[in-house]
Amino acid sequence: MAAAHLNGCTVLECLCDIRRYRRIFFLSLVIVIFEVGGSIATGSLFLLTDAGHALFDLVPISIALFVAHRAREEISSQSLARWERIGGVANGVLLLALVAWIGTEAVQRIKDPTSVSPWMAAFAGGAAYLNFCQHRLSLAIAANHAAHEGLVLHILSDFWQSIAVVVGGIAILITREPLIDTSLSLAV
């Protein structure tokens, strides 16, 4: 049996972690919607790139949620590892498709630059705050498996990526150069 978790319950019996994973999943959905709306409003490919990344974050979050559910049922570690691998491959394939689309769009924007509103920084700041909330939630989860550890690091990298979008927005505000947005989209 697992060590005591909260209020005398054990990790395997407690739904606290599952609730936190669900909140992290919900916050990712909010980030996607917020950043897609912000991208449409500002014309920012970089913001849309971050939204696409957040969309694909739903896969590892779903895997961690699945593992948390299965851990309560005491499924074998081989079965959990298999599901982690399947989810990882699916996430990788979808991410490659997103990268191809972003690359194509960026090439078009290099040929014909599109105006980008520096207000993208405000949308990115909101997303960074939500990433910070996700990270705090992920640190409160008592899970001890590879899917969770990977998720914690992934969410932290998402936070820093959102900060990069804020910095890009500030650079656009100062220089009025829309190719900054395109260049950063390719870099990420």
Side-chain angles (χ1 to χ4, degrees):
M1 213 22 113
H5 173 56
L6 296 172
N7 301 325
C9 66
T10 64
V11 174
L12 293 178
E13 295 168 348
C14 187
L15 294 175
C16 300
D17 289 348
I18 292 172
R19 287 185 192 117
R20 288 185 184 110
Y21 280 128
R22 286 180 183 155
R23 288 180 187 138
I24 291 169
F25 185 90
F26 174 75
L27 285 172
S28 284
L29 284 175
V30 171
I31 290 169
V32 169
I33 293 165
F34 186 70
E35 287 188 323
V36 166
S39 175
I40 292 167
T42 64
S44 172
L45 181 61
F46 195 21
L47 201 54
L48 188 59
T49 301
D50 199 38
H53 184 101
L55 178 65
F56 289 107
D57 286 349
L58 295 174
V59 174
I61 295 168
S62 297
I63 292 168
L65 186 56
F66 178 79
V67 169
H69 275 289
R70 292 298 183 201
R72 291 185 70 239
E73 298 171 9
E74 298 186 39
I75 302 296
S76 74
S77 61
Q78 288 178 336
S79 175
L80 294 176
R82 183 180 71 233
W83 281 106
E84 285 180 341
R85 284 191 303 275
I86 290 169
V89 169
N91 196 30
V93 169
L94 293 172
L95 199 53
L96 286 174
L98 176 67
V99 167
W101 179 81
I102 288 168
T104 303
E105 180 65 25
V107 168
Q108 291 293 342
R109 287 182 181 218
I110 289 170
K111 292 178 184 175
D112 184 23
T114 303
S115 175
V116 177
S117 169
W119 280 102
M120 68 177 272
F123 285 97
Y129 174 74
L130 294 172
N131 285 138
F132 176 76
C133 292
Q134 285 181 310
H135 185 65
R136 296 286 298 181
L137 277 169
S138 71
L139 293 177
I141 295 173
N144 188 20
H145 52 76
H148 174 72
E149 292 167 10
L151 179 64
V152 170
L153 293 174
H154 192 102
I155 290 171
L156 185 58
S157 73
D158 291 346
F159 169 75
W160 288 112
Q161 182 173 329
S162 293
I163 295 298
V165 179
V166 171
V167 171
I170 292 169
I172 291 169
L173 177 65
I174 293 169
T175 66
R176 300 286 186 214
E177 178 56 61
L179 288 178
I180 291 172
D181 182 71
T182 304
S183 300
L184 291 173
S185 298
L186 288 171
V188 172

